Amino acid sequence: MYKKRLLVLLLLVFALIGCKEQKNVSGEPALDSYDRSWKNVYMNGAFIIGSDVVYTGSLTDHRIYYLEKDMNQWRPLCAKPECSHNTEDCNAYLTTAGIYWDEGYIYYYMGDALWRMKPDGSEHEKIKRISLPDGVSSTYLIYRGYIYFQLRETTDGGKSWKQEIKRVPLEGNDTELTDVFGNPGEDQVQYTDLRCWDDRITAIGIHGEQQSLYMQDLTTGKQRMIAENWPPDKIAGYTIDGDLLRYFDLEEGFCTVGLSTGKREVLRSPVERKEAGSVYYDEDFIYLCNTNPILDKMDLVDEACRGILFYDLDGNEVDFLSMDGLDMWLLYAFSTPERVYLSDYSKMMELNTFYYIDKAEIGTGNMQLKSLDH
């Protein structure tokens, strides 16, 4: 038995392949069966997932790529002849992490400007300029007609800091930053880790030594705490599923909380020798990645259990992909109805690091890890 305490691993924007010759002259993704059923995954702008195509941005070579359904190759969203993909005129050019989908457009923030374009790269245009305060670092999220900024200001030579969430509407000339989350009590709360879920957004509120999960209803504007005392070395992953908050507690196991009732339930306690990695959810499975070499050095994962564990949404183990003897640090990237995609975090600054598993093979005991074409 051992004590399981580790920092939650955040998924970063992964490195992708370089520019290849494209089959269609316009460079447009095949959208014949495009049904506009898009979603922003909670990975905060890493991927936009549609029914037949996925988009992502790579800061390794500053390009936006797309991956069509059943296609094994990422392609830059530009096929202009002899384009170098390194200026604002190119619709595949990107300098800031994070791309988002809203009301029929791909949006992203670059420099001090908000940009948008259609999913085929057309109507590429600069919408407005938004100046952030000097000396403030930021990440951002675009959702339901607004761009949200997570602003962090450090003072006293890094000894103290302030973290806030503000927003600006996508349309119109308004560029004023307005507060999103308020302080529910007398103590100052600093917010981070902003995520979007249907008509709600969540953020981690930091007050003193304690962290809690807050949710705001975008329709009513009401804010409330939905989970108290969520230290980052305890919660390995969470998702909002309808009226349920699902999360994995490194000490207690798979848990749920009813958002309307507040009722908390532990679905299944953890098996300590296996479960020490990062947890990710989709509509079908829960993925626990015990592939971190740092955990290996800390003896937090038995070698025989090094790999990816697959669970149903009730926390029952369905399958296991062994990484024994493989020099890879795989993390969940995104999933579609047919596949779950993984990336080798240890090679995030290199190219061609994406792998996938056919979901139909999960639970059969015959899963095969396949790579995208170079």
Side-chain angles (χ1 to χ4, degrees):
M1 303 291 287
Y2 51 82
K3 183 179 180 181
K4 295 187 296 183
R5 290 280 181 174
L6 66 157
L7 295 176
V8 175
L9 297 173
L10 298 177
L11 179 67
L12 303 176
V13 178
F14 299 102
L16 298 173
I17 63 170
C19 180
K20 299 280 187 176
E21 182 181 357
Q22 301 184 41
K23 295 180 181 178
N24 39 335
V25 176
S26 66
E28 299 178 1
L31 302 177
D32 294 340
S33 57
Y34 170 60
D35 66 1
R36 300 188 183 276
S37 60
W38 296 77
K39 66 179 180 180
N40 280 277
V41 293
Y42 65 84
M43 298 301 182
N44 202 4
F47 305 96
I48 301 173
I49 302 173
S51 59
D52 296 308
V53 62
V54 176
Y55 293 88
T56 192
S58 168
L59 291 187
T60 302
D61 54 5
H62 302 289
R63 292 173 186 170
I64 297 174
Y65 289 87
Y66 69 94
L67 179 72
E68 290 178 303
K69 182 178 180 181
D70 299 326
M71 185 176 77
N72 288 340
Q73 185 180 88
W74 291 96
R75 295 174 179 170
L77 190 59
C78 176
K80 299 174 183 176
E82 300 181 359
C83 182
S84 58
H85 311 305
N86 60 6
T87 68
E88 292 182 349
D89 294 332
C90 173
N91 45 267
Y93 181 61
L94 184 74
T95 60
T96 307
I99 59 172
Y100 296 90
W101 173 260
D102 194 78
E103 296 295 329
Y105 287 91
I106 294 173
Y107 284 86
Y108 57 96
Y109 183 73
M110 184 168 64
D112 63 349
L114 177 65
W115 293 76
R116 76 177 183 186
M117 60 184 164
K118 286 293 187 179
D120 60 5
S122 63
E123 299 183 29
H124 180 237
E125 59 181 334
K126 184 185 300 183
I127 302 301
K128 63 171 68 175
R129 293 190 177 277
I130 305 172
S131 297
L132 301 181
D134 293 337
V136 171
S137 60
S138 70
T139 57
Y140 72 96
L141 178 151
I142 295 171
Y143 193 59
R144 296 290 175 93
Y146 287 88
I147 177 169
Y148 294 81
F149 289 98
Q150 299 180 94
L151 305 175
R152 182 183 177 97
E153 182 178 6
T154 304
T155 57
D156 298 332
K159 295 180 180 179
S160 61
W161 55 277
K162 179 175 67 174
Q163 192 145 321
E164 300 175 300
I165 295 176
K166 297 178 180 289
R167 72 180 187 181
V168 176
L170 299 179
E171 301 295 333
N173 298 320
D174 187 2
T175 60
E176 182 180 357
L177 296 170
T178 58
D179 292 334
V180 178
F181 279 86
N183 292 306
E186 295 181 359
D187 296 334
Q188 177 71 23
V189 179
Q190 303 184 82
Y191 294 100
T192 184
D193 193 22
L194 186 67
R195 304 183 186 184
C196 50
W197 318 89
D198 297 326
D199 58 353
R200 297 163 292 193
I201 56 177
T202 58
I204 299 292
I206 306 168
H207 35 105
E209 298 298 322
Q210 184 172 319
Q211 300 189 41
S212 301
L213 183 64
Y214 291 87
M215 182 178 72
Q216 183 178 123
D217 188 310
L218 294 177
T219 303
T220 65
K222 292 183 178 180
Q223 173 189 338
R224 61 190 175 98
M225 180 191 297
I226 58 175
E228 189 174 7
N229 191 19
W230 264 39
D233 58 351
K234 182 180 180 183
I235 306 303
Y238 78 93
T239 190
I240 303 290
D241 182 6
D243 190 54
L244 280 181
L245 164 65
R246 298 181 181 272
Y247 66 95
F248 182 77
D249 187 307
L250 288 166
E251 294 180 347
E252 299 185 17
F254 294 100
C255 305
T256 64
V257 174
L259 298 180
S260 58
T261 65
K263 182 180 179 181
R264 181 176 179 274
E265 181 180 359
V266 178
L267 300 181
R268 189 182 62 76
S269 297
V271 180
E272 286 202 31
R273 69 183 183 87
K274 288 186 177 181
E275 296 164 358
S278 301
V279 173
Y280 308 90
Y281 291 80
D282 68 10
E283 296 86 349
D284 303 303
F285 297 100
I286 306 171
Y287 309 94
L288 192 152
C289 300
N290 282 340
T291 63
N292 186 338
I294 298 175
L295 301 184
D296 296 343
K297 294 178 181 178
M298 297 170 63
D299 294 327
L300 292 181
V301 177
D302 292 346
E303 185 63 27
C305 299
R306 184 175 181 273
I308 300 174
L309 292 104
F310 298 77
Y311 302 85
D312 63 24
L313 296 182
D314 291 325
N316 301 306
E317 186 174 335
V318 176
D319 215 329
F320 174 66
L321 177 66
S322 175
M323 299 294 295
D324 187 17
L326 297 179
D327 184 23
M328 287 192 286
W329 179 355
L330 289 185
L331 286 179
Y332 171 88
F334 64 93
S335 66
T336 65
E338 296 83 14
R339 296 175 175 178
V340 54
Y341 289 83
L342 307 156
S343 183
D344 188 351
Y345 182 81
S346 65
K347 298 179 181 178
M348 62 172 295
M349 298 308 295
E350 299 178 15
L351 304 179
N352 310 312
T353 61
F354 276 89
Y355 301 85
Y356 69 92
I357 294 169
D358 289 321
K359 281 190 173 181
E361 296 178 355
I362 298 176
T364 65
N366 295 310
M367 289 185 299
Q368 294 184 20
L369 186 66
K370 307 167 186 176
S371 67
L372 297 184
D373 294 338
H374 292 187

